[in-house]
Amino acid sequence: MSEPAPAALSKRELYTLFGALMLTMLLASLDQTIVGTALPTIVGDLNGMGDYTWVVTAYLIATTASTPLYGKLSDLYGRRPLILVAIAIFLTASALAGLSQTMLQLIIFRGLQGLGGGGLISLAFTVVSDVVSPRERGKYQGFFGAVFGISSVAGPVLGGWLSEVDWRWIFYINLPLGLAAMVAVDQVLRRHRFPTRPRRIDYLGAACLVPAVVCLLLAVTWGGNDYAWNSVVILGLFAAAAVLTAVFLYIETRAEEPILPLRMFKQGTFALAAVIALVFGVAMFSGIVYIPLFFQMVRGYSPTESGLLMIPMMAGMVLTSVSSGFVISRLGRYKWFLVAGSVVITSGLALFTQLHVDTPLWLSSLYLLVLGIGMGMFMQPLVLAMQNIVRVEDLGAGTSTSNFARSLGGAVGTAVLGAVMTAKLNGELAANLPAAVAELSPAEAAAFGGTDLSAVMESPTVVAHLPEPVRLVVQQAFTDGLDRVFLVAALIAAVTIVLTLFMPNLTLRGAAPARAGGDPDAAAAEIRAETAP
């Protein structure tokens, strides 16, 4: 298997392209976090409290389901047209979402946004892999990891601020940034030809894959919330997902150009990395989703303030993502960054099991820093491992598989950990709330009796104004529930330690000079051995 010569770009063109790709990634990753902070304002304006979760769910489902399609289509028809289409869909949907007059319109346009967002992240990684050799790719993709860290903090802060000005600008702000990225990507890629091979599109595979993903995500989203886990609806969705997946895999073994080339999974490194990405997605989203919940529900901070309190995690991600990228490019190997990153992530999640109602901010900030350091060390080397081993003609499909597995793991993990959280929270409230209510004065008890506990679970403001005995019980219940979530997440993250230890320590392909006494063809020889039948 030979590595093609990267497209000949001047330094100026490379930096222009790289900046535009970072901007497209920022659009997609920011849109996953910016809306959550503004949801109460949006729901109040559009009168749609009953459907508010679909504003987030529609985007998540569409993004996850469309990611594999972009990867394969870009292998067939080139990166430039596909990334331009993804940006165009995303910007059109952003404008329409900003103009929405009803919740139904907003949900539909958020789903359309997700169809564009599914291509932004995976295609950005893939385009970099076209113009930079694997050996040099680490230092560039390290900056992409920094983008994820920045968006995890900037999203809630920016969303909170814009919701106070005009929530519609949460979507309109995408337009100038996206247009600038589109022009830059088009101008640079227009002058350079990349390998394409027009073939027949695997329509049958797409017709099975997309509904299979949708059924699975609906099952884990609705399960335990809208429907019981053992209800006919949830069991039916899981069954439909399983049947559609089986049919999809059968189709892929016979398709001329399968959406997901199963030959990639015959390579041990790729298959193992895909499993690691799935497991990592489960653990990673516990940090992004549930840590702000502690700051808001237990400590009483606003969504904007809780976003700012996540800065230590962002700092750790930016620091190690960029620095590890440069070191990997210099050394030409990535395995031990994955192992070290998984150890640090597991340690960070384990530290969060020690959270208490009165945990000082400096200590929780330290925990966040540890978690961010681990995530920065881990995320980009995993993508490199998958890109380094696949065939050139499968580069788009291989890269999108990495993002798909991580997104799917995140969606499933959020649902599973949410169920863990809810079970512990309800148990603690049932055990301790009656005694706390008994301590209230008649006036306080009467006032509390009119409080809807479902509102307590969703509003930090309501928690802050509860009578003190009740408030302390609710805060402790949330703390205990979050401790259980982080314990489960840490155990899941520990699985990645074991899995990464089994990763072969392959050399990245590329034209970097060989070390003294080294074999300049070592990378090719190692990969030939790895992919040999």
Side-chain angles (χ1 to χ4, degrees):
M1 177 176 53
S2 61
E3 176 76 6
L9 296 179
S10 67
K11 284 291 184 183
R12 180 178 179 181
E13 289 176 324
L14 181 60
Y15 293 149
T16 300
L17 175 63
F18 183 65
L21 295 176
M22 287 183 67
L23 196 54
T24 62
M25 289 192 64
L26 180 63
L27 290 175
S29 56
L30 196 63
D31 228 61
Q32 296 175 352
T33 57
I34 194 173
V35 174
T37 311
L39 264 182
T41 303
I42 296 173
V43 166
D45 192 27
L46 299 181
N47 298 316
M49 177 60 73
D51 300 319
Y52 82 99
T53 56
W54 276 103
V55 177
V56 176
T57 303
Y59 184 89
L60 174 64
I61 290 175
T63 300
T64 306
S66 61
T67 295
L69 304 182
Y70 278 106
K72 184 60 184 182
L73 290 175
S74 73
D75 284 336
L76 295 176
Y77 299 106
R79 318 299 184 207
R80 175 177 163 270
L82 266 296
I83 197 169
L84 292 180
V85 166
I87 296 174
I89 293 174
F90 187 84
L91 295 185
T92 301
S94 295
L96 293 173
L99 294 171
S100 298
Q101 300 301 309
T102 66
M103 282 295 287
L104 178 60
Q105 290 177 0
L106 181 60
I107 290 167
I108 292 172
F109 297 141
R110 280 287 287 169
L112 185 60
Q113 250 192 325
L115 290 179
L120 296 183
I121 294 177
S122 62
L123 289 178
F125 277 114
T126 308
V127 170
V128 170
S129 70
D130 285 326
V131 299
V132 181
S133 70
R135 182 66 178 257
E136 297 299 311
R137 205 173 292 161
K139 60 186 178 184
Y140 291 97
Q141 291 188 352
F143 285 98
F144 286 172
V147 170
F148 283 105
I150 292 171
S151 66
S152 67
V153 174
V157 174
L158 190 59
W161 178 66
L162 289 176
S163 67
E164 295 174 4
V165 179
D166 183 351
W167 64 264
R168 298 180 187 277
W169 278 97
I170 288 175
F171 304 106
Y172 293 150
I173 198 174
N174 293 331
L175 302 181
L177 299 178
L179 287 173
M182 179 180 283
V183 170
V185 169
D186 179 56
Q187 290 301 310
V188 175
L189 296 187
R190 179 185 294 274
R191 295 193 293 272
H192 297 273
R193 296 182 62 85
F194 299 96
T196 60
R197 56 182 202 283
R199 300 283 182 87
R200 184 178 179 181
I201 298 175
D202 181 16
Y203 292 108
L204 276 178
C208 290
L209 175 63
V210 173
V213 174
V214 170
C215 287
L216 176 61
L217 294 183
L218 286 177
V220 298
T221 301
W222 286 345
N225 296 311
D226 299 87
Y227 303 94
W229 285 106
N230 61 351
S231 67
V232 174
V233 173
I234 300 303
L235 294 178
L237 286 170
F238 276 126
V243 171
L244 287 167
T245 300
V247 174
F248 169 73
L249 293 175
Y250 175 79
I251 291 172
E252 296 306 274
T253 61
R254 285 159 174 74
E256 179 184 350
E257 283 292 344
I259 291 173
L260 188 66
L262 299 183
R263 60 177 174 266
M264 296 189 301
F265 293 91
K266 294 180 180 179
Q267 301 164 359
T269 298
F270 184 89
L272 184 57
V275 174
I276 293 172
L278 185 71
V279 177
F280 171 68
V282 177
M284 179 183 74
F285 276 79
S286 65
I288 294 175
V289 173
Y290 291 102
I291 293 173
L293 190 63
F294 170 79
F295 288 132
Q296 293 177 44
M297 300 305 244
V298 178
R299 301 304 300 269
Y301 291 104
S302 69
T304 303
E305 291 170 332
S306 69
L308 289 172
L309 290 170
M310 298 288 285
I311 286 178
M313 188 179 79
M314 178 200 74
M317 286 183 65
V318 171
L319 174 66
T320 53
S321 182
V322 174
S323 59
S324 63
F326 277 92
V327 176
I328 288 171
S329 290
R330 181 172 179 80
L331 297 179
R333 293 182 184 270
Y334 53 81
K335 171 180 175 173
W336 295 108
F337 288 88
L338 290 172
V339 175
S342 59
V343 169
V344 177
I345 289 170
T346 303
S347 301
L349 291 170
L351 287 173
F352 274 104
T353 64
Q354 304 303 308
L355 288 178
H356 304 290
V357 175
D358 57 352
T359 298
L361 279 180
W362 69 266
L363 191 56
S364 58
S365 296
L366 180 61
Y367 296 167
L368 280 167
L369 178 63
V370 172
L371 185 60
I373 287 173
M375 292 169 67
M377 294 175 67
F378 189 92
M379 291 175 64
Q380 305 321 310
L382 188 60
V383 177
L384 277 175
M386 299 181 79
Q387 290 180 334
N388 189 55
I389 200 68
V390 297
R391 298 179 181 181
V392 173
E393 61 267 26
D394 293 332
L395 195 53
T399 304
S400 65
T401 298
S402 172
N403 291 291
F404 172 72
R406 188 173 60 203
S407 297
L408 190 62
V412 173
T414 300
V416 171
L417 294 175
V420 171
M421 169 78 184
T422 301
K424 182 65 174 177
L425 180 64
N426 290 340
E428 292 294 319
L429 290 177
N432 300 310
L433 199 56
V437 173
E439 298 179 22
L440 302 181
S441 66
E444 290 176 325
F448 177 70
T451 300
D452 181 3
L453 278 181
S454 65
V456 171
M457 302 308 146
E458 296 171 3
S459 173
T461 304
V462 174
V463 173
H465 289 87
L466 289 173
E468 183 175 2
V470 175
R471 176 174 53 80
L472 292 176
V473 168
V474 170
Q475 288 176 329
Q476 187 61 51
F478 268 104
T479 302
D480 292 343
L482 289 169
D483 285 349
R484 180 69 58 85
V485 164
F486 291 121
L487 175 61
V488 173
L491 293 174
I492 294 171
V495 174
T496 64
I497 300 176
V498 178
L499 294 176
T500 54
L501 286 171
F502 283 98
M503 287 281 284
N505 194 21
L506 299 180
T507 303
L508 291 170
R509 291 175 290 179
R515 302 274 176 212
D519 180 3
D521 296 322
E526 288 179 351
I527 294 172
R528 281 196 299 271
E530 165 72 15
T531 58

